[in-house]
Amino acid sequence: MRQRTRAGIGSLAAALFLSLVPFSGAVADGYWQCVPFARLISGIQIFGDARTWWGQARGRYEVGYTPKAGSVLCFQPTGRMRLGHVAVVSQVLTDRVIQITHANWSVIEGTRGQVEKDVTVVDVSPNGDWSQVKVWYDPARDLGSTVYPTHGFIYQNAQAIAVASASEKVGKAGSAAMAMAQSAVGTVSAAVRPGASPFGLITQAADATDRIAALIAAATTQGPPSADERDGPR
């Protein structure tokens, strides 16, 4: 019964998140980590730091080195990005150029934790295997100068596609539904904690749900849970 209740809370939190966040350009409200955002819009249900996704995906999802729309590009950890990074491929333009949608990459208007849609990534690896990439960096309005090593792509299975499709439908519910959700969240947050940010309260609820879901996943796979990614690139 407790597990069912928590799952219901998780579904509500996810729906509220999607209604509050329009997926167009960078989102200024709230603070998104790359891991929960990638999991939400790709439907790929992997928990833990971004650096663990590639290892966790093996045996659970198909992986490879060719970009496909909906797949997750896994960045290797580096000195400046010690917990790695994950991003969802939104479209493939050429065999060496893709666009991704991801969170917590560029600093936009002085703020981290932003969502960016359809930003350019270029494969600069010597063998054309997507093992090294350059990524659009918004403050520079150009590709960043840093070359990032990557593991490859995690591909969606049928379940992930269904989850992502459901998320997209909720996200496109329309401005009227968004206004209703914002009003409802504001009313609830004012009652629970007067003066608190509605988005902040929902963020805390979603973070807690992520931790619960990670614990459940760990219990069923006999593996220890990890904290979600907390760093974006610098």
Side-chain angles (χ1 to χ4, degrees):
M1 181 65 181
R2 179 181 298 176
Q3 198 170 42
R4 181 180 302 173
T5 302
R6 286 172 174 173
I9 293 172
S11 299
L12 175 62
L16 287 169
F17 256 84
L18 283 165
S19 67
L20 287 167
V21 180
F23 295 114
S24 57
V27 177
D29 295 329
Y31 189 106
W32 279 96
Q33 302 291 345
C34 74
V35 164
F37 183 79
R39 182 169 58 242
L40 188 64
I41 67 170
S42 72
I44 293 174
Q45 296 301 293
I46 298 178
F47 294 80
D49 294 339
R51 64 184 177 186
T52 71
W53 273 45
W54 186 252
Q56 289 192 64
R58 294 187 175 276
R60 297 175 57 191
Y61 296 91
E62 183 182 353
V63 298
Y65 308 98
T66 301
K68 296 179 182 179
S71 63
V72 171
L73 175 59
C74 291
F75 290 71
Q76 296 185 32
T78 65
R80 298 171 63 192
M81 194 171 67
R82 60 186 182 82
L83 296 180
H85 185 70
V86 284
V88 180
V89 178
S90 46
Q91 57 182 323
V92 179
L93 300 180
T94 74
D95 59 348
R96 302 291 292 256
V97 181
I98 62 175
Q99 289 187 325
I100 60 172
T101 295
H102 63 164
N104 200 22
W105 187 269
S106 297
V107 177
I108 299 173
E109 297 181 354
T111 306
R112 299 193 60 80
Q114 306 299 296
V115 170
E116 297 172 273
K117 181 180 178 182
D118 296 338
V119 299
T120 302
V121 177
V122 177
D123 173 24
V124 295
S125 62
N127 298 322
D129 58 4
W130 288 91
S131 59
Q132 295 178 311
V133 299
K134 284 190 173 184
V135 183
W136 174 270
Y137 187 60
D138 193 76
R141 305 304 299 167
D142 200 351
L143 289 175
S145 59
T146 303
V147 174
Y148 293 94
T150 69
H151 291 292
F153 300 90
I154 302 173
Y155 304 118
Q156 296 171 303
N157 57 17
Q159 182 181 16
I161 291 172
V163 172
S165 177
S167 297
E168 183 178 9
K169 288 178 182 177
V170 176
K172 292 180 178 179
S175 58
M178 188 183 301
M180 290 175 62
Q182 288 174 323
S183 176
V185 173
T187 300
V188 172
S189 66
V192 173
R193 189 181 302 170
S197 162
F199 198 95
L201 288 178
I202 296 301
T203 300
Q204 292 174 17
D207 284 347
T209 302
D210 270 355
R211 289 193 292 273
I212 292 168
L215 288 171
I216 293 172
T220 58
T221 58
Q222 303 300 316
S226 298
D228 270 348
E229 175 267 340
R230 298 297 173 188
D231 276 350
R234 297 294 188 270

